[in-house]
Amino acid sequence: MCEIFFIHGKNKAVQNQNFLNFLLTAIEEASTSNADGFGVFNEEGEVYKSEERFSYEYLSEVYKRFNDSRFVVLHLRMATEGAVIKKNSHPFRHNSNILVHNGMVTTPSIYEEGRADSYQMLRDIYKRKGHDTVKAVKQSLEKTSGSVSVFLYDYKDDLYYFRDGSDFTFAEIPDSNELVGATRESRLYTAFGEENLKIRYPEENQIYHLKDGEIQEIADFEMENITRSSTDSVYGYGHGYGRRTNVIKESDYEKYKKEKTRREEENQPLKELFE
């Protein structure tokens, strides 16, 4: 499965140290198993991506480009459809609309041969857009099967999130008033520590609007029905909500404590990159 990382400041730019912690966590914990490309976008619609694995080689460039952003969405790709090439790395852009996706989908139409299924979904939503993004998402997903965890930034500068059959966790950092999120909950513990977070699990089949570090449920949706297994790759790790059954969860906090100890022993040289 792919992994998505998200950070959003409340009425201001993201805190630099928190942003750096997130980038380091993405590299150290997620990039090896999601090595088929990466990409980043922000509220300015700036997109930076590569078909290569997100690594320390790209850390300084991503930090420099995006550390003054109000929000940042980072995607690490595990290819399930479409070649490992730059144009199949997320984010995808069509006109003024930007999308990142974790999951696997089958859309009612193919809009460009050889492109990833996530790109086809963006094109299908845009085809229906008119002047109402939420209505377009609902209409498109009614004819789309599979699993989704999606951030969509539209032509009106509105940021949306929705999911069905694919995990994601949001959290608030009280000290900085930032909203953060990750595909795997344990990534949040590594980056920020469990004691600093107020966890929020987004419901399936709900569309959320994100603005100024706040998340608001605004509409529901339904996808075309399929039979899902609890062993699907997009489920794999979660926290017991949604449609999954019989999933044994290893403690995320235990993982966090082990990783915290390792980083305390090894992470000092990484900080020197930004001194």
Side-chain angles (χ1 to χ4, degrees), residues 95-161:
N95 292 346
S96 300
N97 308 286
I98 300 172
L99 176 144
V100 301
H101 167 228
N102 172 40
M104 295 171 286
V105 293
T106 300
T107 55
S109 301
I110 299 298
Y111 296 89
E112 186 176 329
E113 293 291 342
R115 298 298 299 273
D117 54 350
S118 307
Y119 174 79
Q120 312 295 352
M121 178 169 55
L122 173 60
R123 290 293 303 272
D124 195 72
I125 292 171
Y126 181 79
K127 169 187 173 183
R128 306 163 192 274
K129 184 170 290 294
H131 297 287
D132 189 335
T133 296
V134 174
K135 183 178 179 181
V137 169
K138 290 166 63 82
Q139 290 178 344
S140 177
L141 292 179
E142 286 175 356
K143 301 179 182 299
T144 298
S145 64
S147 55
V148 295
S149 175
V150 169
F151 282 90
L152 174 64
Y153 194 48
D154 78 356
Y155 65 109
K156 295 184 290 187
D157 296 331
D158 283 316
L159 179 65
Y160 299 97
Y161 174 79

Side-chain angles (χ1 to χ4, degrees), residues 6 12 31 37 44 57 67 88 93 99 104-105 119 193 227 232 263:
F6 170 76
K12 60 182 180 180
S31 65
E44 298 294 331
E57 176 185 353
N67 70 337
N88 277 338
R93 186 200 302 273
L99 176 144
M104 295 171 286
V105 293
Y119 174 79
T227 301
D232 284 351
R263 289 186 64 170

